[in-house]
């Protein structure tokens, strides 16, 4: 909350989406006003224009891996990471009231949700159909009256759109990592919701960089962290937009790049790689207990 007003935070999707749930879980329902956007890029542009103070972007699923579109927005834009959280995701299979499982022919949802439930779809022979997000898939189904289509969405989406829960698809350790991003010159208040890290949480940082296209270049770059005794908690590569078959690397480290030993590792990395950018220093999230 800023000056007594709820913090406006953008997310990709409609009311009932997991992004909205992440915002309320991090900041608390009284301190945040979620603002939906059609895409991750649109959510970022709301921040860049000053329409909202921050955006909540999912960057990784414990079941389906990287959320590539959101990571690309983070790498390519000017926003910086101010916090992270791990949201327990408990998908539900939803259909119109009275529909039986045997009637289902196809399942619509966000591509990440479909990927997380791929085994179930294959088992039943249901056709997966990618949609914009879980909440909009639920709304569209409620409006369509289609008895042969189901959606994967949340309990909140089921209640909001009057759909029936055919099956609970959740698993205790299905988590999605979200990051809170703002303009570089702007911070956000510390989250006070149940999913926010505690005030004394250890620090983490996300760094992106590119290397020369020669043998051993990536090994040398990553060696900067090992030599300084800094642990890497995550690493991935994304295609660059300028040159085909060249990649930008993204790493998340334990520590703060403003302080040793992470600052020492960063200085060495700048000597061995190019385009080095610190995308944010922030309190590290901790996994919620299985009981909630």
């Amino acid at each position: 909350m800023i000056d007594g007003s709820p913090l406006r935070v953008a997310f990709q999707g409609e009311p009932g989406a997991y992004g909205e749930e992440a915002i309320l879980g991090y900041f608390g329902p009284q301190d945040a006003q979620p603002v939906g956007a059609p895409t991750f890029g649109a959510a970022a542009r709301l921040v860049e224009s000053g329409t909202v103070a921050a955006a909540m972007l999912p960057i990784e699923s414990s079941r389906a891996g990287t959320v590539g579109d959101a990571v690309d927005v983070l790498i390519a834009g000017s926003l910086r990471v101010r916090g992270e959280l791990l949201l327990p995701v408990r998908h539900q299979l939803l259909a119109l009231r009275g529909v039986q499982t045997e009637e289902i022919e196809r399942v619509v949802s966000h591509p990440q949700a479909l990927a997380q439930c791929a085994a179930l779809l294959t088992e039943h022979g249901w056709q997966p159909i990618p949609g914009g997000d879980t909440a909009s898939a639920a709304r569209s189904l409620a409006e369509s009256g289609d008895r042969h289509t189901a959606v994967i969405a949340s309990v909140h989406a089921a209640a909001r759109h009057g759909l029936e829960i055919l099956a609970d698809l959740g698993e205790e350790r299905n988590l999605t990592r979200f990051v809170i991003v703002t303009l570089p010159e702007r911070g956000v208040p510390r989250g006070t919701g149940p999913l926010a890290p505690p005030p004394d949480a250890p620090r983490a940082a996300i760094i992106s960089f590119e290397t020369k296209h020669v043998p051993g270049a990536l090994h040398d770059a990553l060696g900067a962290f090992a030599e300084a005794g800094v642990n890497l908690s995550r690493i991935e590569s994304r295609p660059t937009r300028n040159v085909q078959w060249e990649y930008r690397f993204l790493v998340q480290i334990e520590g703060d790049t403003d302080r040793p030993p992470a600052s020492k590792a960063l200085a060495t990395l700048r000597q061995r790689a190019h385009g080095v950018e610190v995308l944010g220093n922030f309190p590290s999230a901790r996994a919620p207990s299985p009981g909630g």
Side-chain angles (χ1 to χ4, degrees):
M1 184 173 291
I2 298 178
D3 299 329
S5 300
L7 189 74
R8 287 170 55 82
V9 184
F11 68 98
Q12 187 272 325
E14 299 183 3
Y18 290 109
E20 179 186 50
E21 187 176 340
I23 291 170
L24 299 178
Y26 187 88
F27 292 104
Q30 304 302 318
D31 293 337
Q33 179 185 346
V35 178
T39 65
F40 298 124
R45 287 191 291 274
L46 288 176
V47 181
E48 292 167 346
S49 68
T51 304
V52 300
M56 181 74 74
L57 301 177
I59 60 171
E60 180 183 23
S61 162
S62 63
R63 290 290 307 279
T66 297
V67 185
D69 290 347
V71 172
D72 288 342
V73 167
L74 178 60
I75 291 176
S78 60
L79 303 182
R80 293 294 177 262
V81 179
R82 304 304 186 193
E84 70 171 1
L85 77 152
L86 297 173
L87 178 73
V89 173
R90 198 166 190 91
H91 293 311
Q92 311 294 318
L93 183 68
L94 311 181
L96 299 177
R97 294 194 179 279
V99 169
Q100 302 300 309
T101 303
E102 294 75 17
E103 298 178 67
I104 302 302
E105 298 176 359
R106 65 195 71 87
V107 178
V108 181
S109 195
H110 187 277
Q112 279 287 319
L114 293 174
Q116 292 168 19
C117 301
L120 177 77
L121 303 183
T122 301
E123 176 185 349
H124 288 274
W126 293 330
Q127 178 188 5
I129 299 179
D133 62 85
T134 56
S136 65
R139 174 184 54 77
S140 296
L141 177 60
E143 294 172 350
S144 72
D146 185 350
R147 296 181 61 84
H148 299 293
T149 296
V151 300
I152 297 172
S154 67
V155 171
H156 301 295
R160 180 179 290 272
H161 299 293
L163 298 175
E164 188 168 312
I165 297 175
L166 297 184
D168 182 346
L169 311 180
E171 296 186 8
E172 286 185 353
R173 307 317 294 172
N174 185 7
L175 302 172
T176 294
R177 185 186 305 277
F178 284 83
V179 292
I180 301 96
V181 296
T182 72
L183 290 170
E185 65 273 13
R186 182 165 188 171
V188 297
R190 186 179 68 82
T192 58
L195 296 180
D200 59 349
R203 304 287 292 182
I206 295 178
I207 304 169
S208 70
F209 62 92
E210 296 177 27
T211 65
K212 295 180 180 179
H213 198 53
V214 297
L218 178 60
H219 178 273
D220 289 343
L222 295 179
F225 300 102
E227 293 162 15
V230 174
N231 187 50
L232 296 179
S233 58
R234 183 166 172 259
I235 179 172
E236 66 181 278
S237 63
R238 300 297 301 167
T240 64
R241 297 186 176 186
N242 300 322
V243 182
Q244 288 185 331
W245 314 121
E246 291 196 3
Y247 298 86
R248 189 161 187 86
F249 297 95
L250 187 89
V251 296
Q252 182 160 336
I253 67 170
E254 296 176 0
D256 190 326
T257 55
D258 291 333
R259 299 178 180 178
S263 58
K264 179 181 178 181
L266 179 62
T268 303
L269 178 65
R270 293 190 189 279
Q271 297 173 359
R272 301 178 182 180
H274 60 274
V276 178
E277 288 192 71
V278 178
L279 300 182
N281 290 293
F282 47 90
S284 179
R286 63 181 180 185
S289 64

